[in-house]
Amino acid sequence: MYMTIKEPSEKIANQAVKVWRISNTIGHGIAIIVLGILLYCSEHYQWYGWIQVTLYIIFGIIVLSAIYSIFIEPVFLQKTWRYEIDEDFVQMKNGKWNESHTLVPMEKVEFVRTEQGPIMRKFELFNLIIGTTTTQHTIPAIPAEKAKRLKAEIAQLAKVKESDLTEREEE
């Protein structure tokens, strides 16, 4: 007995690329500043030579990581993220090489909330957090109006399923 489930088709917002680029630039910028301070200290205080070599290797890795995280990853994530919400499931699918497809049954949903950081606020985007008893799932970068509508829709569908379940148990 197999069930056919329609592939998710909703995309996250295009502005997600800008949000992820800005946040990744800030994170990598902080890491490079800290590493620059450590390199200055190793030169100024004449630390062991292997420490300076190690710091340069770490610096190279951070620069490569920054190039990937700022220029490649945000575009790739935005193009591969899909979600769909219907009366039975919340579906989330992302990734090209390591594809992840998650189905959360609506009757397992315990809470739903939206989150917004300062960068996301600038672009009027929200993350939609869907929680079950054991896990949380995040659908990133949804436009504000759509996120509020989806939050209300999920809350309503989860409540309807709960009341249906309790009525069946009582019979």
Side-chain angles (χ1 to χ4, degrees):
M1 179 167 92
Y2 292 101
M3 201 170 125
T4 305
I5 299 172
K6 187 178 130 197
E7 288 285 315
S9 60
E10 296 285 326
K11 294 180 180 180
I12 58 175
N14 290 333
Q15 294 95 343
V17 174
K18 291 178 186 172
V19 169
W20 288 327
R21 281 185 174 159
I22 291 170
S23 66
N24 288 342
T25 301
I26 291 169
H28 282 85
I30 291 170
I32 287 174
I33 288 170
V34 169
L35 207 55
I37 291 169
L38 289 173
L39 280 168
Y40 172 79
C41 288
S42 73
E43 288 277 336
H44 187 71
Y45 297 111
Q46 298 175 348
W47 291 351
Y48 294 110
W50 64 268
I51 293 174
Q52 197 170 20
V53 170
T54 304
L55 290 174
Y56 277 114
I57 290 171
I58 293 171
F59 183 81
I61 292 170
I62 288 176
V63 168
L64 291 175
S65 171
I67 291 169
Y68 174 75
S69 297
I70 295 169
F71 298 108
I72 299 168
E73 186 182 31
V75 175
F76 186 74
L77 280 174
Q78 198 279 330
K79 286 186 177 183
T80 60
W81 242 106
R82 300 282 182 273
Y83 67 93
E84 183 100 22
I85 296 165
D86 60 27
E87 61 188 30
D88 296 323
F89 300 104
V90 176
Q91 289 188 65
M92 294 160 278
K93 187 174 183 179
N94 62 349
K96 189 73 172 179
W97 294 303
N98 291 331
E99 191 175 284
S100 170
H101 189 179
T102 305
L103 292 172
V104 179
M106 202 54 82
E107 63 259 9
K108 299 286 184 187
V109 173
E110 293 215 343
F111 67 89
V112 60
R113 70 173 190 259
T114 53
E115 284 184 353
Q116 185 183 48
I119 299 170
M120 293 184 78
R121 189 171 304 129
K122 180 179 182 335
F123 291 96
E124 297 180 8
L125 298 175
F126 281 92
N127 287 337
L128 189 66
I129 314 290
I130 301 154
T132 65
T133 54
T134 56
T135 59
Q136 284 192 111
H137 305 279
T138 302
I139 301 174
I142 300 176
E145 289 300 316
K146 191 172 186 178
K148 290 174 186 172
R149 185 176 49 79
L150 288 175
K151 183 173 85 173
E153 184 181 336
I154 291 170
Q156 185 179 17
L157 289 170
K159 186 177 178 182
V160 168
K161 291 293 180 184
E162 274 184 19
S163 65
D164 285 347
L165 187 62
T166 55
E167 287 176 12
R168 284 186 208 145
E169 289 175 348
E170 290 174 1
E171 290 177 0

